[in-house]
């Protein structure tokens, strides 16, 4: 955040940006970077593509800032631009021949995310576990259908309201609620499958641990009091 801009409202920053104030624009970007990146990332499921889409969106917003009239919050206006840029970029990706519109129903039964990072000091094993859990969650969120993924990120990760999400994606509020419900259900199912796969291997006993215990017992048995079972 630029010095002296921390308490400046979004509307005031927008006015300054419309006058081509680059420092105000930098402050605006830094203020909303995380949320807008996550929105782009939710649509594109790729860090690099999301960064490029966000940069394009910022340039588009800068060029048209004078057109912002304040009917909605500035961050909602910016989010719409990011959504449009991300969708345009997605359409251009050759590996995605069939693009699903965010306005379209995501399944036949449907009508018409703080991150796990922690700055506190914690033991390395705990930090490694948290990082692995985060990676698993990110992979499963990436596996969600686009329509569900976008809503999940906006509502659960960025804590946007139902109406904010609906406005940003140009869908009814009821659809936001439905898609969030389905996204949660799909994530629970995916994580349950992950748990089923890894559960048999928890606290593994084979290999080195097994050999070590067997060697220890045989060693004690071969000692002076081994056959009597004395300690």
């Amino acid at each position: 955040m630029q010095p002296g801009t921390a308490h400046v409202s979004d509307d005031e920053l927008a006015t300054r940006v419309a006058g081509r104030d680059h420092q105000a624009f930098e402050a605006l970007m830094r203020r909303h970077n995380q949320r807008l990146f996550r929105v782009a990332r939710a649509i594109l499921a790729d860090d690099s593509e999301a960064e490029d889409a966000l940069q394009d969106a910022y340039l588009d917003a800068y060029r048209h800032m004078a057109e912002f009239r304040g009917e909605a919050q500035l961050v909602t206006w910016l989010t719409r631009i990011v959504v449009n840029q991300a969708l345009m970029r997605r359409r251009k990706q050759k590996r995605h021949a069939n693009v699903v519109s965010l306005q379209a129903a995501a399944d036949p039964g449907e009508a018409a995310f703080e991150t796990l990072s922690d700055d506190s000091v914690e033991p390395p094993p705990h930090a490694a576990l948290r990082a692995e859990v985060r990676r698993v969650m990110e992979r499963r969120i990436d596996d969600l259908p686009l329509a569900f993924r976008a809503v999940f990120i906006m509502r659960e990760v960025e804590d946007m309201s139902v109406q904010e999400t609906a406005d940003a994606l140009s869908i009814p509020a009821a659809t936001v609620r439905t898609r969030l419900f389905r996204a949660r259900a799909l994530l629970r199912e995916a994580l349950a499958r992950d748990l089923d796969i890894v559960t048999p291997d928890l606290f593994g006993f084979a290999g080195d641990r097994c050999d070590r215990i067997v060697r220890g017992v045989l060693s004690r048995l071969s000692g002076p009091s081994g056959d009597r079972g004395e300690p």
Side-chain angles (χ1 to χ4, degrees):
M1 187 69 65
Q2 289 294 310
T5 59
H7 302 293
V8 178
S9 70
D10 276 2
D11 287 346
E12 175 59 27
L13 287 176
T15 299
R16 296 184 189 181
V17 173
R20 298 302 183 252
D21 184 332
H22 286 194
Q23 287 190 333
F25 191 46
E26 180 179 350
L28 192 66
M29 287 189 289
R30 293 187 183 280
R31 181 176 293 179
H32 298 299
N33 255 341
Q34 177 171 280
R35 166 171 167 169
L36 298 178
F37 171 77
R38 285 172 170 171
V39 169
R41 178 65 174 71
I43 294 171
L44 293 163
D46 181 275
D47 289 357
S48 179
E49 290 285 344
E51 289 182 17
D52 290 343
L54 182 54
Q55 290 184 39
D56 289 344
Y58 276 138
L59 292 173
D60 193 24
Y62 181 82
R63 288 192 293 266
H64 296 93
M65 190 64 71
E67 300 172 16
F68 175 68
R69 295 290 181 262
E71 291 90 351
Q73 294 184 57
L74 178 63
V75 67
T76 301
W77 185 75
L78 291 171
T79 302
R80 288 174 181 164
I81 295 175
V82 171
V83 167
N84 289 335
Q85 285 290 345
L87 286 174
M88 285 192 293
R89 183 170 290 271
R90 183 180 172 88
R91 292 186 188 103
K92 294 176 182 177
Q93 294 174 342
K94 294 181 179 179
R95 62 182 180 275
H96 295 294
N98 298 316
V99 177
V100 178
S101 169
L102 283 168
Q103 285 76 34
D107 69 11
E110 179 184 347
F113 299 221
E114 296 292 332
T115 63
L116 291 175
S117 62
D118 188 349
D119 294 331
S120 61
V121 177
E122 58 182 338
H126 293 184
L129 178 60
R130 289 169 65 85
E132 181 57 31
V133 171
R134 185 180 66 248
R135 284 192 291 270
V136 170
M137 281 293 296
E138 289 172 347
R139 285 197 299 271
R140 291 311 175 199
I141 291 171
D142 278 348
D143 288 341
L144 290 173
L146 168 60
F148 297 154
R149 187 170 67 237
V151 167
F152 183 85
I153 291 294
M154 291 182 184
R155 290 284 290 119
E156 294 293 333
V157 180
E158 277 305 306
D159 200 26
M160 293 168 62
S161 70
V162 171
Q163 195 57 54
E164 279 184 298
T165 305
D167 291 344
L169 298 177
S170 300
I171 58 178
T175 303
V176 171
R177 296 187 183 94
T178 300
R179 291 183 182 180
L180 180 58
F181 178 83
R182 289 288 295 128
R184 288 170 173 166
L186 289 171
L187 278 176
R188 283 195 296 269
E189 292 170 7
L191 293 173
R193 288 194 299 270
D194 289 341
L195 187 60
D196 287 342
I197 291 171
V198 303
T199 296
D201 297 325
L202 293 176
F203 306 109
F205 191 79
D208 292 342
R209 189 190 305 274
C210 182
D211 292 340
R212 186 168 58 252
I213 292 176
V214 169
R215 283 196 304 268
V217 172
L218 293 176
S219 175
R220 293 172 64 179
L221 283 175
S222 63
S225 59
D227 288 339
R228 296 191 299 274
E230 297 176 3

